[in-house]
């Protein structure tokens, strides 16, 4: 990951994000929703201007799409939001697995996805729907990405 070094740029980004965070913690209604969404947009733009890694940028782009579906759209588009979050986690997984990780983590990821999907179908039965299946796959990838990130932490 390569980042352009410009302390003014970084400080400005952090100051705006801190202001938005304050709004998120202290407001409600439309101001809260817009503050949350603008914060995500700024993170995407910051990454677009600062990082060369396409996986990071792709992950943030799909996070932004997911947030639009879950926060901004009326009515809320849960399935599309979770599909976009799953794609974002897939980008992050590709980023993590492109680096040196302990062997077997990719295999564990795939086994867990299959196992969780089977358990979801067994538990939900006829109530199984695409949202449940996509969400379960998303959560496995989220947890595995955290595990992989911690495995890479010392690097």
């Amino acid at each position: 990951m390569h980042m352009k070094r410009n302390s003014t740029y970084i400080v400005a980004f952090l100051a705006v994000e801190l202001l938005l965070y304050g709004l998120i913690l202290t407001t409600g209604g439309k101001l809260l929703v817009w503050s949350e969404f603008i914060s995500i947009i700024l993170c995407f733009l910051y990454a677009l201007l600062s990082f060369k890694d396409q996986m990071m940028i792709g992950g943030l782009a799909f996070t932004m799409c997911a947030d639009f579906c879950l926060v901004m759209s009326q009515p809320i588009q849960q399935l599309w939001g979770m599909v976009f979050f799953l794609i974002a986690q897939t980008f992050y997984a590709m980023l993590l697995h492109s680096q040196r990780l302990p062997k077997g983590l990719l295999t564990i990821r795939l086994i867990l996805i299959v196992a969780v999907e089977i358990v979801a179908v067994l538990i939900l039965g006829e109530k199984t729907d695409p949202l449940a299946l996509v969400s379960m796959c998303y959560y496995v990838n989220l947890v595995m990405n955290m595990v992989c990130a911690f495995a890479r932490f010392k690097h």
Side-chain angles (χ1 to χ4, degrees), residues 48-153:
L48 190 62
L49 297 171
S50 302
F51 296 99
K52 289 185 177 182
D53 194 304
Q54 297 301 310
M55 297 303 154
M56 175 71 74
I57 293 168
L60 287 168
F62 279 98
T63 298
M64 190 172 56
C65 292
D67 280 354
F68 179 81
C69 292
L70 296 171
V71 176
M72 300 301 292
S73 67
Q74 292 299 322
I76 292 172
Q77 300 295 316
Q78 279 187 301
L79 178 59
W80 280 110
M82 291 310 297
V83 166
F84 288 136
F85 269 140
L86 176 57
I87 294 169
Q89 289 303 319
T90 302
F91 270 99
Y92 299 139
M94 290 187 298
L95 172 64
L96 289 163
H97 285 283
S98 69
Q99 302 166 2
R100 293 181 186 194
L101 284 172
K103 293 181 181 181
L105 282 177
L106 184 57
T107 303
I108 292 169
R109 178 187 300 267
L110 296 173
I111 290 169
L112 284 173
I113 289 170
V114 171
V116 166
E117 295 293 325
I118 291 170
V119 169
V121 170
L122 290 174
I123 290 173
L124 296 173
E126 291 180 14
K127 294 182 181 179
T128 303
D129 65 355
L131 179 60
L133 296 175
V134 169
S135 296
M136 296 309 294
C137 187
Y138 161 77
Y139 288 119
V140 169
N141 278 289
L142 176 66
V143 170
M144 285 303 299
N145 285 345
M146 287 190 290
V147 168
C148 291
F150 281 117
R152 288 282 307 150
F153 185 71

Side-chain angles (χ1 to χ4, degrees), residues 20 23-24 27-41 68 71-72:
L20 289 167
L23 289 173
I24 290 166
T27 62
K30 288 187 179 192
L31 184 56
L32 170 64
V33 170
W34 277 101
S35 299
E36 291 170 338
F37 191 60
I38 290 169
S39 177
I40 297 299
I41 292 170
F68 179 81
V71 176
M72 300 301 292

